[in-house]
Amino acid sequence: MSHHNLFSALRAAFPADLSSTAVETTAPDGTPLFYTWGDLDRASARMANLLASLKLPEGSRVAVQVEKSVEAMVLYLATLRAGYVFLPLNTAYQSAEIEYFIGNAEPGVVVCTPGNFGWVSKIAFNQGTGHVFTLGDDRTGSLLERAAHHSDVHQPVQKSADDLAAILYTSGTTGRSKGAMLTHGNLLSNAVTLKDYWGWTATGGPDGRGDVLIHALPIFHVHGLFVAIHGALINGSKMIWFAKFDPKAVLAAMPRATVFMGVPTLYVRLLAEAGLTKDAAKNMRLFIAGSAPLLIETFTEWQRRTGHTILERYGMSETIMLTSNPYAADKRHAGQSERRGATVGFPLPGVGLRVVDDANKPLPVGEIGNIQVQGPNVFKGYWRMPEKTKEEFTADGWFKTGDVGKVDERDYVSIVGRSKDLIISGGYNVYPAEIEGYINDMPGVAESALVGVPHPDFGEVGVAVVIAKPGASLNPDAIVAQLKSQLANFKIPKKCFVVPELPRNTMGKVQKNLLREQHKGLFA
Ligand code: MCA
Ligand code: AMP
């Protein structure tokens, strides 16, 4: 390949027969839809030609907040193809959140749902964005109308491995979200590594045409957008595509599929289905979990019910995938092939991982410390935050993950905690500092603390503990109601308490561990 545009690598893996089905899905009205590989190629060419016609400056960002659809994936491919930078946004984000992202990233193009055009376009035009298109989940909107006027042939723009392909916002422990800049080289190297490590096969499988992926995750984060979509495309594998996760629909698709990827909550919800049996899962080759810790109970119960051992892996927005349990015997680690629950496996080929103390000194096997990583998958830095980027790397070039863990004598990595104050709820990250900031701004609030407590469905959820100013009286329901009007729904604390004081250590620091302990049984 003469250039490093990720789209070109994905396109090169499309099967020779472009008339075969690449994606099978259902329209919002229930109509079955089939997209061939040729459809993906032509539709992404049309959109890429539309983007090219806008004459945007090189490196322009295309910010996208739309419902999941195959056209939304095509927009991602078209952005790569046209050489611009894709910036996906969670559909749950509300106006203040969107205003920040658009203000910070200064996209040249914004694509939103038809229903949100009013408020999103106002924010975008106010911040200097030149073009706002709409895209509905039912193939409506100005993006497709405009793209239809363009040619369905397009030559992918030349890109070097170091050129930006995407920016993924990931919240900071203090202050606002940071845009993790991922390059064509980061994404491609990780996709190629995973294709091999997870044993993707282009032949065999249920219809004689290789692996078939059940895609049931949102496409605005690493897991659904990169790991899943790249995984299928770079192997020329068909996807059975769901706009929303529905355990019954996923179960029904298993006999026609071979690979499934999910956050732990999806596995918990599938386990609640009586139809999840060895027979239902007998055509499946591989179940992959990540984005949050998979409880050993879920791992074991899955084994018992389906006969399959979930492969758990670990990654971050800044690094894409870092470690994985083995799919097959791993020669780098004495041929071990065991997928071990409560571990995230081995560093992927090409990824360096070390566990260090607070002075960045590597720790011996089995000792718990800070996880640091390096490799071709590690991002280029935070968008327009050189100082923050510098802080997150050691002087000798290791990225500080903020995760705490250990490597055992068999080389398996386990994550045992986080040094960053972060709650992972159903696979979405909630940064306490952000929510506390909103609560602290409310009239009558002196201070607040948000802590994560165990939850049977979401793994972990946020609980807010609030202190009133002297003389003020606060209503916990009113606090939650106000947060709901300001923030994405998954960030809303599932419970709020107003109490006289917060536990503090001798330095005056709030002891969140005590609050966590106090409330750990709330949802048991
Ligand atoms: C929905 N709700 C949640 C969450 N999702 N609350 C807490 N945490 C959540 N994750 C709440 C809503 O606020 C709402 O509450 C109620 O549940 C129903 O909302 P709905 O949207 O209908 O929920 P759902 O469709 O059942 O969604 C649950 C879900 C979803 C399918 C588990 O959260 C999901 O798709 N999670 C996957 C996230 C993901 O892909 N993460 C990968 C990140 P109310 O009614 O009160 O408003 S990538 C990553 O982390 C790294 C790099 C990696 O390693 O992969
Ligand atoms: P994000 O900011 O969305 O990229 O989330 C990345 C974080 O998710 C990591 O730093 C980990 O804390 C967490 N994570 C991802 N995969 C796993 C896993 N398999 N086990 C535990 N934590 C995980």
Side-chain angles (χ1 to χ4, degrees):
M1 205 171 42
S2 60
H3 66 106
H4 297 270
N5 189 319
L6 168 64
F7 175 80
S8 301
L10 300 175
R11 175 65 186 82
F14 283 17
D17 178 9
L18 289 179
S19 67
S20 58
T21 302
V23 188
E24 174 189 321
T25 187
T26 314
D29 67 4
T31 316
L33 293 175
F34 298 89
Y35 295 75
T36 66
W37 294 94
D39 290 337
L40 297 187
D41 186 41
R42 287 185 296 271
S44 62
R46 272 191 218 100
M47 270 190 217
N49 279 319
L50 165 61
L51 292 174
S53 75
L54 305 176
K55 305 271 181 268
L56 304 166
E58 199 177 328
S60 288
R61 278 75 59 209
V62 177
V64 177
Q65 191 198 29
V66 298
E67 296 299 335
K68 184 178 174 184
S69 68
V70 176
E71 286 70 24
M73 172 178 73
V74 168
L75 172 57
Y76 165 57
L77 298 177
T79 305
L80 294 174
R81 195 168 181 160
Y84 296 119
V85 180
F86 193 70
L87 195 173
L89 294 166
N90 192 321
T91 44
Y93 291 146
Q94 302 205 45
S95 57
E97 292 155 312
I98 294 295
E99 193 163 1
Y100 170 75
F101 295 123
I102 293 182
N104 188 257
E106 300 186 41
V109 176
V110 169
V111 184
C112 64
T113 63
N116 287 349
F117 180 77
W119 66 268
V120 174
S121 64
K122 195 166 153 204
I123 292 173
F125 292 137
N126 276 341
Q127 306 268 13
T129 296
H131 310 271
V132 180
F133 296 106
T134 58
L135 177 63
D137 59 0
D138 53 356
R139 296 190 285 178
T140 54
S142 59
L143 182 76
L144 295 176
E145 283 163 20
R146 290 279 303 275
H149 297 291
H150 288 269
S151 160
D152 63 5
V153 177
H154 174 272
Q155 192 57 38
V157 168
Q158 297 259 342
K159 286 281 142 186
S160 76
D162 200 41
D163 284 331
L164 287 197
I167 297 180
L168 263 70
Y169 275 85
T170 159
S171 305
T173 35
T174 53
R176 307 307 296 259
S177 287
K178 304 164 287 183
M181 299 190 289
L182 294 160
T183 65
H184 285 260
N186 291 147
L187 296 169
L188 181 55
S189 68
N190 211 238
V192 169
T193 300
L194 294 176
K195 172 172 154 59
D196 185 46
Y197 203 70
W198 289 345
W200 285 87
T201 158
T203 54
D207 54 4
R209 280 189 282 114
D211 276 316
V212 174
L213 173 75
I214 297 177
H215 194 304
L217 286 164
I219 56 168
F220 39 69
H221 283 310
V222 161
H223 202 161
L225 182 64
F226 300 145
V227 189
I229 290 178
H230 295 168
L233 294 186
I234 205 148
N235 192 53
S237 282
K238 182 169 111 177
M239 285 187 258
I240 303 179
W241 180 269
F242 296 103
K244 274 206 146 256
F245 171 71
D246 169 3
K248 287 194 171 49
V250 166
L251 257 182
M254 279 184 196
R256 295 178 294 119
T258 62
V259 182
F260 175 76
M261 295 183 191
V263 300
T265 299
L266 304 202
Y267 286 95
V268 170
R269 291 188 182 183
L270 279 163
L271 279 169
E273 292 295 321
L276 182 79
T277 59
K278 289 196 169 74
D279 196 49
K282 73 167 187 278
N283 195 58
M284 294 294 290
R285 177 176 74 81
L286 183 57
F287 289 95
I288 301 169
S291 308
L294 181 75
L295 293 181
I296 191 73
E297 293 81 8
T298 312
F299 175 86
T300 313
E301 186 59 7
W302 192 269
Q303 234 166 6
R304 193 183 68 78
R305 290 272 297 279
T306 68
H308 286 276
T309 306
I310 296 175
L311 176 154
E312 185 172 3
R313 92 308 178 272
Y314 154 60
M316 292 182 73
S317 301
E318 289 92 335
T319 64
I320 335 167
M321 293 301 98
L322 288 165
T323 74
S324 170
N325 270 279
Y327 170 69
D330 189 330
K331 288 198 218 69
R332 301 169 309 149
H333 300 282
Q336 296 178 96
S337 60
E338 190 194 351
R339 293 175 214 160
R340 295 176 65 197
T343 84
V344 292
F346 306 126
L348 285 165
V351 173
L353 182 144
R354 68 182 192 185
V355 177
V356 299
D357 64 13
D358 288 340
N360 292 330
K361 199 166 101 349
L363 289 168
V365 166
E367 281 196 28
I368 292 173
N370 305 310
I371 297 182
Q372 300 184 343
V373 295
Q374 55 179 207
N377 52 311
V378 175
F379 75 139
K380 205 172 165 166
Y382 295 110
W383 171 254
R384 291 182 180 162
M385 290 187 186
E387 287 308 313
K388 198 81 210 152
T389 303
K390 216 168 141 202
E391 275 170 34
E392 301 301 325
F393 282 88
T394 63
D396 55 347
W398 292 76
F399 174 61
K400 304 173 188 168
T401 64
D403 291 308
V404 172
K406 61 178 180 182
V407 182
D408 70 14
E409 65 295 339
R410 290 169 61 188
D411 300 340
Y412 284 81
V413 178
S414 353
I415 316 280
V416 302
R418 301 171 204 128
S419 60
K420 51 194 173 191
D421 191 12
L422 159 71
I423 298 168
I424 305 184
S425 185
Y428 288 141
N429 291 1
V430 179
Y431 280 84
E434 182 187 14
I435 292 53
E436 288 159 3
Y438 277 87
I439 301 177
N440 295 346
D441 281 347
M442 293 181 193
V445 171
E447 62 174 332
S448 62
L450 189 84
V451 293
V453 304
H455 189 273
D457 183 31
F458 294 121
E460 197 180 18
V461 293
V463 169
V465 184
V466 185
I467 313 295
K469 281 188 179 146
S473 101
L474 293 172
N475 175 349
D477 294 339
I479 294 174
V480 170
Q482 173 146 0
L483 289 175
K484 277 192 179 170
S485 71
Q486 295 172 300
L487 287 167
N489 59 8
F490 64 88
K491 296 181 187 172
I492 308 304
K494 297 281 187 239
K495 198 100 191 146
C496 177
F497 296 99
V498 175
V499 301
E501 59 181 358
L502 293 172
R504 291 181 188 280
N505 64 15
T506 46
M507 310 289 288
K509 196 171 178 297
V510 176
Q511 289 174 299
K512 286 195 165 180
N513 54 332
L514 295 184
L515 291 175
R516 251 178 246 123
E517 189 56 31
Q518 185 186 348
H519 295 296
K520 70 176 184 202
L522 266 180
F523 304 96

